[in-house]
């Protein structure tokens, strides 16, 4: 979400756009990537989503930035904005004194009056094949030994979340090649299979199910076992 917001901001401030696409290399684009732009500011609404901070944003908008583009704010975790902060932002958005990009996993927590004035861009998980291709490219660029089938397993087990996949590969690569055996171990395949055994036996082989459960709890924490069983 934040990456998309940065790309949109780059498309607004870039001086060398081609067919509307930011060049990604000019000073304006680079300053956004480096978080040094005078026109674009990123805020974490979880810690800076108060009405006082929003008032400061609006007050800052009265002063023109050096490049004359305007004030653009990217708000991460926008659902954490207080109700008073959202009310205060509403008027500034209406008169276009500031441009706000709200990134959130819970858009229903944004007040309807504010949402009705925004364009919404839902972000979905990428298709498995596209994600695996991207992970292969990342591994090649980073010099990580990998098995594409292991990357496919990781993608499926993490519900196609690119961030989680990349973190998993980063962690696994410290121990060695990212192959199927490493993926099975990292993703706890043996433990999930043990959960299957417990659930399969609980009705007609309760003693065997309890023995399997005891062995599982010795290997995994109680909270993990609970969640996996559910």
């Amino acid at each position: 979400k934040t990456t998309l917001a940065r790309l949109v901001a780059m498309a607004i401030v870039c001086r060398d756009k081609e067919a509307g696409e930011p060049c990604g290399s000019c000073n304006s684009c680079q300053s956004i990537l480096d978080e040094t732009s005078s026109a674009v500011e990123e805020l974490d609404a979880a810690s800076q989503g108060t009405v006082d901070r929003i008032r400061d944003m609006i007050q800052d908008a009265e002063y023109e930035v050096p490049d004359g583009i305007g004030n653009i704010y990217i708000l991460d975790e926008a659902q954490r904005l207080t109700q008073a902060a959202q009310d205060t932002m509403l008027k500034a958005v209406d008169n276009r004194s500031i441009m706000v990009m709200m990134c959130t996993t819970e858009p229903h927590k944004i007040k309807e009056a504010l949402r009705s004035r925004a364009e919404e861009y839902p972000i979905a998980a990428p298709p498995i094949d596209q994600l695996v291709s991207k992970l292969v490219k990342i591994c090649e660029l980073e010099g990580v030994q990998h098995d594409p089938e292991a990357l496919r397993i990781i993608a499926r087990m993490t519900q196609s979340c690119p961030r989680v996949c990349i973190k998993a590969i980063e962690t696994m690569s410290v121990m060695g090649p990212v192959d199927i055996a490493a993926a099975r171990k990292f993703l706890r395949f043996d433990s999930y299979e043990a959960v299957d055994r417990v659930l399969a036996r609980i009705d007609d082989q309760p003693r065997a199910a309890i023995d399997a459960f005891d062995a599982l709890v010795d290997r995994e924490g109680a909270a993990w076992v609970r969640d996996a069983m559910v």
Side-chain angles (χ1 to χ4, degrees):
K1 297 181 296 298
T2 307
T3 300
L4 177 58
R6 288 172 181 163
L7 289 171
V8 173
M10 287 166 61
I12 294 170
V13 305
C14 181
R15 301 297 190 185
D16 299 313
K17 289 190 285 286
E18 294 184 11
E21 294 290 332
C23 69
S25 58
C26 68
N27 290 338
S28 295
C29 288
Q30 283 298 313
S31 66
I32 291 176
L33 297 176
D34 298 338
E35 298 185 33
T36 58
S37 174
S38 58
V40 181
E41 183 175 357
E42 295 186 25
L43 302 174
D44 178 11
S47 59
Q48 297 177 287
T50 64
V51 64
D52 289 338
R53 184 65 183 90
I54 301 304
R55 285 174 180 153
D56 289 341
M57 284 169 45
I58 296 170
Q59 186 175 1
D60 291 344
E62 297 176 2
Y63 303 94
E64 186 175 346
V65 295
D67 52 20
I69 293 169
N71 297 72
I72 303 171
Y73 293 95
I74 297 175
L75 295 179
D76 276 320
E77 306 297 335
Q79 74 276 4
R80 300 288 295 275
L81 286 166
T82 66
Q83 295 298 301
Q86 293 187 44
D87 289 337
T88 301
M89 188 188 301
L90 186 60
K91 184 176 180 180
V93 170
D94 259 347
N95 62 29
R96 297 177 181 269
S97 60
I98 59 175
M99 178 181 292
V100 180
M101 302 181 195
M102 294 179 287
C103 305
T104 178
T105 54
E106 302 176 89
H108 60 278
K109 292 187 177 180
I110 305 298
K111 297 185 73 168
E112 183 58 35
L114 198 53
R115 282 188 71 180
S116 67
R117 289 162 170 80
E119 293 184 32
E120 294 192 22
Y121 298 91
I123 299 176
I128 288 287
D129 288 341
Q130 288 185 18
L131 179 55
V132 172
S133 295
K134 184 67 173 179
L135 296 176
V136 167
K137 184 176 181 179
I138 291 172
C139 286
E140 290 173 348
L141 290 172
E142 297 293 333
V144 174
Q145 296 183 50
H146 63 282
D147 179 342
E149 191 56 37
L151 301 183
R152 184 173 295 274
I153 290 171
I154 294 169
R156 290 190 179 281
M157 290 295 290
T158 57
Q159 288 76 53
S160 297
C161 177
R163 177 184 297 167
V164 177
C165 288
I166 291 170
K167 291 300 294 183
I169 292 170
E170 182 180 20
T171 301
M172 293 166 60
S173 66
V174 174
M175 306 302 294
V178 180
D179 54 22
I180 292 178
R184 284 183 58 91
K185 182 177 181 180
F186 181 83
L187 296 168
R188 293 170 157 162
F189 271 34
D190 291 344
S191 294
Y192 277 112
E193 289 169 352
V195 169
D196 286 343
R197 288 195 294 273
V198 172
L199 296 177
R201 297 173 181 174
I202 195 68
D203 287 331
D204 55 357
Q205 302 177 56
R207 185 177 295 279
I210 291 172
D211 289 342
F213 181 82
D214 286 342
L216 179 60
V217 174
D218 285 342
R219 186 165 67 235
E220 301 286 356
W224 184 92
V225 173
R226 176 201 62 206
D227 293 344
M229 297 279 281
V230 171

